[in-house]
Amino acid sequence: MKNFLFITLFFPALLFAQKTTIVKGFVKNKQNQSLESVNVRYGSVGTTTNKRGYYEIRVPLNQEVTLTFSFVGYQTLTKTISATKTKAIRFSPTLLLKSEVLNTVVIENKKSAVEGTTKIDINKVKRIPNATASIENLIMTFAGVNNSNELSTQYNVRGGNFDENLVYVNGIEVYRPFLIRSGQQEGLSFVNPNMVQNINFSAGGFQAKYGDRLSSVLDITYRKPTDFGLAVDGSLLGGSVTVEDLLLDDKLSVIVGARYRDNSLFVNSKQIETNFRPRFTDLQGFLSYKHNEDWTFNFLGNFSLNNYDYQPVTRRTRFGTVSNPIELIVFYNGQEQDKYLTMFGALSAEYQVNDDLKITATSSMYNTQEEEYFDIAASYNLGQVDSNIGSETFGEVTVSQGIGSQLNHSRNDLDALIANVQIRGTYKKDENQIDFGVKYQTEDIKDRIREWEVIDSLGFSVRPTNIGFINDQPYNPFTGPIVPFQNIRAQNSLTINRLMGFVQWSRRTFWNEHEVWFNFGVRGQSWSVKANSLSTVNQFVFSPRAQFAIKPDWEKDMLFRVSGGIYTQPPFYKELRGFDGNINPNVKAQKSFHIVLGSDYSFKMWKRPFKLTTELYYKGLNDVNSYVVDNVRIRYQANNNAVAYATGLDVRLNGEFVPGNESWISLGILKTEENSNNRGYIARPTDQRFKLGILFQDYVPNMPDLKAYLNLVYNSGVPGGAPAYADPYDFQNRLRGYRRADLGILYVFKDANKTSNKHWLRQFKELTAGLELFNMFDIQNSITNTWVRDVATKNQFGVPNFLAGRILNFRFSMRF
């Protein structure tokens, strides 16, 4: 009876299995991103792809069936299959966005919109011309995001500084070197664009699951390969190689990228003649092993080496006015040798407890070893230039206003080790989602500072302004001390232990016919600081945050959102170190009450999709740790003696200004001020009142494979360029506005949208080549000044240090 029952129940299934075979594979888009929930169907039989984009479907033998792959926002793809053997058939299609025939993107992304984040197309990053070949450069075209140095990947967001931004890769916070002084020292960003799958950016009002910073979050996810791939990119500035594949019966996905960068092209375009070849090398790998349906193990590793050997020779800079031009001539002797070695490793385990609960445990370690050594002597002559056109000496220096020299010395070393372990979880049930996590982190930092500057003017040593002495030569002999103009000597050993955690609840529901979404969360952090022989200091902060969004049931496609909370930033090592190089362990966390009001309006113009995003924000800050900015170097006062505020409006219009190509215009208005020790409100170093960013894509109508990318940025001037010793209350001059235009011309020989029967193109999946023209109008931008003295008037002149001029670069990209 049991055998009869078994045969009755299972014989039809066995018979069906013998007359069918399996079609399986991965479904992805053109950016090689896996697509979840794609419908795969023939007739009345169907299935959907999982989170990895994987599907399996049985088809009958000896019959011709047509598989249909459909997904919202993508073009439907069909594939006719006629199976004659029971051996599984593998088919991995690539779906194209509905308007991607000309390489556009779908503008609407509800999840990002309700959370107040911007989802960035990684393909834009790879093709848009930028000096650093980084994701951060594209973000700088957004409203509210500012940077006035094309060689730096750091950015200010809504009045904050570089240190107030969070960067995550696969949910793991990543860090930058500590001792970087200028953009040309930075080298490569941590994030390798060729390994990226998803990019999300929030300029404020972000959720509690993100860490304790005041300004922004850049959340990067590296992709898990679904097939073999090889990418090679090259230019006159360097190159990269990326390899990816599936191993061990498709259980292990591996992607490895190597990059090399040489910024000589940019440095040689400046007004300083140098013997200089900055070289930057980076190696990264991401491995993911899917043990079974419940367990997945991941490893992310990075090795980076930046060598900065700088030997200036001469400099000639003209500034002033047409009627009163001034020229600075400098002769240098000496060199600078800097080295930044960073290593990073993270191991994580993901456990899918059930359909509703997922737990991830991660352990990571970051180590940076930095050396900053230089001895550079500079002798200068500041002179008036003859501006009389009829004069025999027209254009030549006729009168010397200042003659002097300076010697800069540094022997700075830093070794930092940051290790942490964290557990995060996500619980989903119906329309509810709860995220939670706890993290322990320890930071061990050793720092030695030996840095001084001697300034000489006409044979007399210029002494610091904060040393009281009387010098009435020649009536009385001068007996004051001869000391360096600046002198910092410190040796620090610091240990910081942190325990932090968060919990947040999200829900999507309906209010009458209106769709609503909200999120409530809290963070907490307790930390202790042990510096040198000082007593241990313990502190704690609490950070509640909330978001609410509503999409009214209107004929017009609009979404409104409000977000905010109390955001805190417990001090990191740089915030604890004062101008004199010593550590103050009593520095408190900076705090900000932050509120953001935003709206998204999606509409059609010229029968093409557009989206207008508007955000109005206000930040009230207390326990502010005041700072000054010199190039990209931030020096803190290491106290909490100020209050501040930042308020502004960000507007972004993006859409198909040219059919099939997404472009955007960003406009930002900002005002940020601080009040230190009740001395009154003055502009902060990041008070960039106006920002205009334009990213425009176009193509030649009769040659759609010939594409053009134009990146335009205008940033109004910020307070800066002051001498290192200047009091910000006495020096509120603003630098000139930053204006820049970069142009890229690219020809697509082959890609996912263009096939070719030419023999030499058959081995390529994608091949592009083109030219980039950086700073196409050769505009002289500057973010710092060199200060020299006038003998006659005893005044100081701020001579602008100009950034890179016009540069032509050739680049190519290959995918196999």
Side-chain angles (χ1 to χ4, degrees):
M1 184 65 182
K2 290 182 179 179
N3 293 334
F4 175 77
L5 182 62
F6 174 82
I7 293 172
T8 302
L9 292 176
F10 293 100
F11 179 74
L14 295 172
L15 185 62
F16 177 76
Q18 292 176 354
K19 294 183 178 181
T20 63
T21 188
I22 294 176
V23 179
K24 62 182 181 178
F26 294 88
V27 183
K28 53 189 177 180
N29 61 15
K30 197 178 69 172
Q31 286 74 42
N32 207 31
Q33 299 169 344
S34 299
L35 297 178
E36 182 183 1
S37 301
V38 175
N39 290 311
V40 185
R41 180 172 297 277
Y42 76 91
S44 60
V45 180
T47 185
T48 59
T49 58
N50 62 16
K51 292 181 178 180
R52 300 177 60 209
Y54 180 77
Y55 76 94
E56 283 188 6
I57 189 170
R58 284 192 171 272
V59 299
L61 292 173
N62 302 314
Q63 292 185 31
E64 187 176 274
V65 298
T66 300
L67 291 180
T68 301
F69 298 81
S70 60
F71 191 50
V72 176
Y74 286 77
Q75 298 179 38
T76 299
L77 184 145
T78 58
K79 174 68 174 179
T80 301
I81 292 177
S82 181
T84 58
K85 298 180 181 180
T86 57
K87 184 178 179 180
I89 299 173
R90 183 161 182 164
F91 177 62
S92 297
T94 298
L95 298 189
L96 302 179
L97 292 166
K98 286 185 176 179
S99 54
E100 202 165 21
V101 176
L102 291 172
N103 193 31
T104 187
V105 299
V106 170
I107 291 177
E108 175 144 2
N109 188 307
K110 288 185 179 179
K111 186 175 186 299
S112 296
V114 297
E115 294 181 0
T117 61
T118 301
K119 186 163 183 155
I120 301 170
D121 182 4
I122 182 60
N123 201 47
K124 297 284 187 297
V125 178
K126 296 177 182 178
R127 293 192 172 183
I128 288 172
N130 69 81
T132 58
S134 67
I135 290 171
E136 292 87 342
N137 192 272
L138 182 65
I139 294 172
M140 294 172 200
T141 65
F142 292 173
V145 183
N146 302 307
N147 184 317
S148 297
N149 187 338
E150 61 268 12
L151 293 181
S152 173
T153 59
Q154 303 189 70
Y155 48 88
N156 305 313
V157 179
R158 294 178 176 174
N161 67 30
F162 303 146
D163 297 331
E164 297 178 11
N165 305 310
L166 286 162
V167 180
Y168 289 95
V169 175
N170 289 1
I172 304 164
E173 185 176 358
V174 297
Y175 304 90
R176 297 176 181 271
F178 292 80
L179 298 182
I180 295 292
R181 290 174 181 257
S182 64
Q184 62 193 34
Q185 292 175 317
E186 279 191 27
L188 296 162
S189 164
F190 181 95
V191 181
N192 186 336
N194 288 325
M195 299 173 64
V196 169
Q197 175 172 324
N198 294 318
I199 311 170
N200 288 285
F201 177 75
S202 172
F206 43 86
Q207 299 176 4
K209 67 180 180 180
Y210 296 114
D212 296 296
R213 297 289 175 93
L214 296 178
S215 291
S216 74
V217 172
L218 178 60
D219 191 2
I220 306 289
T221 304
Y222 278 179
R223 70 175 179 271
K224 296 179 180 179
T226 57
D227 205 349
F228 173 79
L230 172 64
V232 179
D233 297 286
S235 76
L236 300 179
L237 296 167
S240 68
V241 177
T242 307
V243 182
E244 56 187 276
D245 202 2
L246 288 174
L247 305 172
L248 304 180
D249 295 328
D250 294 348
K251 288 187 175 183
L252 176 65
S253 65
V254 179
I255 181 168
V256 178
R259 295 180 292 172
Y260 174 78
R261 183 82 173 175
D262 186 337
N263 277 343
S264 300
L265 215 74
F266 285 100
V267 178
N268 292 335
S269 72
K270 295 187 176 184
Q271 292 185 321
I272 300 179
E273 180 185 345
T274 63
N275 296 320
F276 180 34
R277 191 172 182 183
R279 293 151 300 165
F280 312 110
T281 307
D282 170 89
L283 179 64
Q284 290 191 42
F286 176 51
L287 289 73
S288 180
Y289 179 75
K290 189 172 182 60
H291 179 65
N292 52 41
E293 291 299 321
D294 297 329
W295 285 95
T296 302
F297 301 93
N298 305 302
F299 173 77
L300 175 64
N302 170 268
F303 172 85
S304 176
L305 177 61
N306 294 356
N307 286 312
Y308 181 83
D309 298 328
Y310 180 65
Q311 186 176 1
V313 180
T314 62
R315 167 182 175 171
R316 183 186 296 267
T317 303
R318 286 194 175 181
F319 62 102
T321 64
V322 175
S323 60
N324 186 27
I326 301 174
E327 182 175 85
L328 174 70
I329 301 175
V330 185
F331 296 94
Y332 297 95
N333 187 21
Q335 64 179 337
E336 177 175 357
Q337 293 185 336
D338 302 334
K339 182 178 180 180
Y340 308 95
L341 172 65
T342 61
M343 293 171 286
F344 173 84
L347 183 65
S348 67
E350 301 173 4
Y351 177 45
Q352 191 73 46
V353 182
N354 51 48
D355 292 339
D356 302 324
L357 179 62
K358 180 180 179 180
I359 302 293
T360 302
T362 305
S363 177
S364 68
M365 184 173 294
Y366 171 85
N367 176 240
T368 178
Q369 301 170 31
E370 305 176 26
E371 298 176 355
E372 187 182 46
Y373 297 169
F374 57 79
D375 287 285
I376 297 178
S379 300
Y380 70 85
N381 177 51
L382 182 69
Q384 293 182 350
V385 179
D386 188 352
S387 59
N388 187 355
I389 298 179
S391 172
E392 294 182 356
T393 58
F394 174 71
E396 299 179 6
V397 175
T398 56
V399 178
S400 293
Q401 292 181 270
I403 299 174
S405 62
Q406 66 184 50
L407 175 62
N408 293 89
H409 167 90
S410 174
R411 292 294 184 271
N412 298 333
D413 296 277
L414 183 141
D415 191 320
L417 179 65
I418 302 173
N420 61 62
V421 58
Q422 65 174 327
I423 297 177
R424 299 168 66 99
T426 299
Y427 177 78
K428 296 181 180 180
K429 192 68 174 179
D430 300 326
E431 299 298 323
N432 299 280
Q433 178 173 323
I434 297 175
D435 297 280
F436 56 91
V438 63
K439 177 180 178 181
Y440 174 77
Q441 178 167 297
T442 180
E443 302 158 16
D444 185 19
I445 301 171
K446 292 177 173 55
D447 184 19
R448 189 194 72 159
I449 308 171
R450 299 290 187 271
E451 185 177 320
W452 49 259
E453 178 184 23
V454 173
I455 299 179
D456 170 85
S457 180
L458 286 177
F460 292 91
S461 177
V462 180
R463 290 156 180 80
T465 57
N466 58 355
I467 295 181
F469 60 84
I470 299 175
N471 184 359
D472 57 354
Q473 297 182 87
Y475 306 103
N476 293 296
F478 175 68
T479 58
I482 298 178
V483 296
F485 185 75
Q486 292 187 81
N487 187 15
I488 302 175
R489 299 179 66 87
Q491 189 151 339
N492 300 310
S493 179
L494 178 73
T495 301
I496 305 176
N497 295 310
R498 306 180 190 269
L499 180 63
M500 60 200 86
F502 76 92
V503 61
Q504 67 177 39
W505 170 49
S506 305
R507 178 176 173 82
R508 186 189 297 269
T509 184
F510 285 87
W511 176 32
N512 295 327
E513 299 300 323
H514 311 303
E515 187 176 5
V516 298
W517 181 93
F518 52 83
N519 170 279
F520 299 99
V522 294
R523 286 190 66 87
Q525 181 175 153
S526 174
W527 76 97
S528 64
V529 179
K530 174 63 177 177
N532 301 324
S533 60
L534 302 175
S535 300
T536 301
V537 177
N538 298 282
Q539 299 187 59
F540 174 79
V541 291
F542 180 73
S543 173
R545 308 173 188 180
Q547 295 178 327
F548 175 81
I550 180 170
K551 191 179 189 305
D553 184 25
W554 295 347
E555 182 178 345
K556 293 185 176 180
D557 188 358
M558 300 192 71
L559 182 142
F560 301 92
R561 60 181 173 271
V562 57
S563 60
I566 305 297
Y567 291 80
T568 62
Q569 182 165 324
F572 203 50
Y573 173 69
K574 288 172 67 176
E575 289 110 304
L576 295 171
R577 196 177 80 177
F579 285 3
D580 59 358
N582 294 316
I583 298 296
N584 178 11
N586 295 299
V587 174
K588 295 183 290 186
Q590 300 181 83
K591 303 175 183 66
S592 169
F593 168 71
H594 195 174
I595 185 167
V596 182
L597 303 176
S599 68
D600 293 340
Y601 175 37
S602 300
F603 59 96
K604 293 279 187 178
M605 185 166 60
W606 308 312
K607 297 182 180 181
R608 297 193 291 271
F610 283 83
K611 182 177 179 180
L612 177 65
T613 301
T614 305
E615 289 193 332
L616 181 68
Y617 59 89
Y618 173 82
K619 292 192 280 188
L621 301 99
N622 56 68
D623 291 330
V624 173
N625 191 349
S626 297
Y627 60 90
V628 296
V629 180
D630 181 14
N631 203 307
V632 299
R633 183 192 190 193
I634 298 177
R635 297 192 303 155
Y636 291 90
Q637 292 188 5
N639 55 37
N640 301 98
N641 62 350
V643 294
Y645 72 89
T647 184
L649 173 68
D650 291 344
V651 180
R652 181 170 178 255
L653 175 64
N654 64 305
E656 296 184 16
F657 292 92
V658 174
N661 287 263
E662 184 193 21
S663 302
W664 61 73
I665 300 174
S666 300
L667 176 68
I669 300 173
L670 164 70
K671 184 177 182 180
T672 179
E673 294 182 320
E674 68 179 31
N675 181 355
S676 180
N677 290 322
N678 294 318
R679 299 174 64 186
Y681 279 93
I682 60 172
R684 304 190 78 194
T686 54
D687 184 37
Q688 200 139 48
R689 296 294 174 90
F690 181 77
K691 157 70 178 284
L692 177 64
I694 299 176
L695 179 65
F696 190 77
Q697 301 185 75
D698 201 355
Y699 62 94
V700 178
N702 296 328
M703 297 178 61
D705 297 318
L706 182 60
K707 303 178 183 295
Y709 303 87
L710 182 62
N711 187 358
L712 299 171
V713 174
Y714 171 75
N715 297 330
S716 62
V718 296
Y725 55 84
D727 184 343
Y729 278 84
D730 297 331
F731 194 99
Q732 276 290 295
N733 292 356
R734 289 180 178 265
L735 294 166
R736 67 175 69 181
Y738 180 83
R739 299 157 295 165
R740 186 175 179 85
D742 296 332
L743 174 66
I745 304 294
L746 188 71
Y747 186 80
V748 179
F749 293 92
K750 186 178 180 181
D751 65 4
N753 294 321
K754 179 185 178 181
T755 59
S756 176
N757 294 323
K758 295 181 179 179
H759 178 73
W760 68 280
L761 286 174
R762 290 178 182 175
Q763 66 267 34
F764 297 102
K765 290 183 179 178
E766 179 181 325
L767 176 62
T768 62
L771 297 173
E772 295 175 322
L773 186 60
F774 299 117
N775 195 5
M776 59 186 295
F777 299 119
D778 200 23
I779 298 173
Q780 291 184 324
N781 294 305
S782 67
I783 56 172
T784 59
N785 291 325
T786 295
W787 291 89
V788 294
R789 293 172 177 267
D790 181 349
V791 177
T793 65
K794 309 302 182 188
N795 292 329
Q796 294 191 77
F797 286 88
V799 184
N801 298 318
F802 294 121
L803 298 171
R806 184 190 295 118
I807 296 170
L808 181 65
N809 180 41
F810 169 77
R811 60 177 294 190
F812 65 88
S813 178
M814 298 182 291
R815 304 287 183 271
F816 300 91

